[in-house]
Amino acid sequence: MSENRALGGLEDSPKDTIKHGKNHLFAIGINTYQKFTPLLNAVKDVEDIAKVLSEDYSFDSILLLSDQDATKDNIIDKLDGLRRSVAPEDKLLIYYSGHGFTDNDRGFWIPVDAEPDRVSSYIANAEVHDIIQFIKARHILLISDSCFSGSLLVRDVASDMGGAFDDWDRNPSRYAFISGGGVVSDGKPGENSPFAGGIIKQLRDNEENAINICRLADQVTQEIRYNYRQQAEVSPIFEVGHKGGQFVFVKKQTEKEVWAAALANHDEGSYLDYLGRYPKGKFLNEAEQKLKDIADENEWSKAAQKDAAISYRQYLKIYPDGKHVSEANSKLEAIKQEDLRDKEAARKLEQERLFILEKLKRESIPSPTPNTKSENKEPRKPNNSPNGAAANEPKQKSKAPKYIFFVVLAGVLVAIGIFWPKNEVYIHDSPITQLIDTIDLTFEIEGNVVDETNKNKIAGIMLTNSRNKISDTSDESGHFTIANTLNGDTISITESDKYVARAFVVRDNIRTGDVDLAEKPRIKVNKTITGTVKNRNGNLIKGAWIYVKRNGKIIQPYTHTLSNGKYTLTKVNEGDILWIDAGSSYKKKNFTVGADNEYNWVVN
């Protein structure tokens, strides 16, 4: 029985792919050769790889060729058939476990029916390379656990861990991951080869939602390098369409896990994602109800923000059995009662106005009379009698009613304490009518905007009269002034980063006062945070992974530091845990997200 997978002597290397559409696995494992030394674990390796991928990573298209089925013709035919079965958005993993051979820097796979010293019966790495070139998958990863697979690799090209999962998925990739450039171990009987065992272990033990090929390769390489005389390698495959992406192994989620994530996020996208994955799932009714509840809350928020009868009626029309029906009806009743009070006040004021006008008319305005001869009479001359008055001159009370009018009218308005918009009242086009029509019943309000928690004055808050759109912004002392205001006007306050929006109604001729604003809740969601990672010597660290943990689970998006040590994370909530993994040379760190948006870390 062979202890290694070599028939001659050169080199080997690995490659990677990522996820989008369907996941395909084509695996070849050969133990029992017709004319070569048998291997111990090649068939077990591919079967165990297929098992972990199907159980944990959503690979549902799996084709295995083992032992006598793994002839040269069969392998080539199946590889060629992938050109027709794999879609452009799919991912393809090709896994070979068997003997390898090298001749003048040319690498070969040894099929089950290969003949010794007859290279034409082998499968050249170059032939595999040419077939891959015409497979239109977005991502192709070739894993070769055989000796002398190095010709599959691009030499002197470092594997790049830069980027993010979305970028890796978007950009096509062609990677190879090989167990070694020279002779590699087959492992102990009944176990896996060291290389296959390392891959299986890392995939099984992975607690994250996904792992990319470069990171997987790094973990496997570190695990086997100290115990076996072989060096696993990963690199892009040259000249077959690699464009900077990576193959990402994405963990399969159970229905329960998907539903738990949807409940944690509590947004339409998460519930729709669950319904898309499980259209007949056991949480179907709950998901549909959650979507209705969110829509209900959104419609109610819009109605409450407008705070108008039409908006509350619209809410009741859309959601007659909604969660806020009682509140909407209460709002409508309050608006109705307020309107009735306003109308009654207006009626009383109008009656008072008409009463005053009629009284003044009777007392101070003579009824119009036709022209008489008296109009042509000469004006009477004053009598210079000792008492200083002409004998026949009328008593001088004709001008008094004009002054009485002003005094009485002003007194009545002050007495009733109500300012009301002017109404046009025509009484024979008299001077009284003209005077009443020019009364301006608007007034000016002023006040201060105050933080209700600490009573500090707040500058920069805009207040707007909803009726006439006149607005003012509180100054450095928190003071504001709004002209042309009437009782019943709604003064709305715009929302700021720190304070919630609100409104108040002008009542009872209140012209001055403080407007209290409450701070927004301090827990914020969907933050974008940035930072850098350095070691204790002050050197920036590239490729350090930054994860977000929420409710004990790692959530997307993950990211890592770029060449300048910087990283950016979006959709982070206050209270989330940031977890950093800068590799085996540094200790992992955790940090709770607070109000800050920048987190610069030093790792030891």
Side-chain angles (χ1 to χ4, degrees), residues 460-514:
I461 300 295
M462 178 176 286
L463 303 93
T464 303
N465 189 323
S466 301
R467 175 178 58 83
N468 55 24
K469 308 306 179 187
I470 295 177
S471 63
D472 189 30
T473 301
S474 59
D475 59 22
E476 292 181 357
S477 63
H479 188 265
F480 68 91
T481 303
I482 301 179
N484 296 331
T485 308
L486 295 172
N487 278 310
D489 282 353
T490 298
I491 308 299
S492 60
I493 301 174
T494 55
E495 184 162 305
S496 68
D497 289 339
K498 189 174 181 181
Y499 296 96
V500 296
R502 58 161 294 183
F504 65 92
V505 178
V506 180
R507 298 183 188 278
D508 303 326
N509 295 331
I510 295 177
R511 304 183 181 214
T512 63
D514 291 341

Side-chain angles (χ1 to χ4, degrees), residues 16 159-161 175 212-219 234 246:
D16 93 59
S159 58
D160 183 10
M161 294 182 65
Y175 263 85
N212 59 302
I213 181 57
C214 286
R215 186 165 183 80
L216 174 66
D218 180 61
Q219 293 172 346
V234 67
Q246 282 197 43

Side-chain angles (χ1 to χ4, degrees), residues 80-95:
D80 189 66
L82 295 172
R83 293 189 298 112
R84 293 177 291 276
S85 61
V86 176
E89 297 304 316
D90 290 351
K91 298 196 310 186
L92 171 63
L93 169 56
I94 301 171
Y95 193 104

Side-chain angles (χ1 to χ4, degrees), residues 300 303 307-317 324-341:
W300 174 249
D307 195 27
I310 186 65
S311 60
Y312 293 126
R313 288 179 59 83
Q314 178 72 9
Y315 171 81
L316 292 172
K317 181 179 179 181
H324 300 279
V325 167
S326 177
E327 195 172 352
N329 284 323
S330 296
K331 291 286 187 180
L332 286 173
E333 182 63 24
I335 292 173
K336 176 182 175 182
Q337 293 302 322
E338 183 177 356
D339 186 59
L340 289 175
R341 288 193 297 271

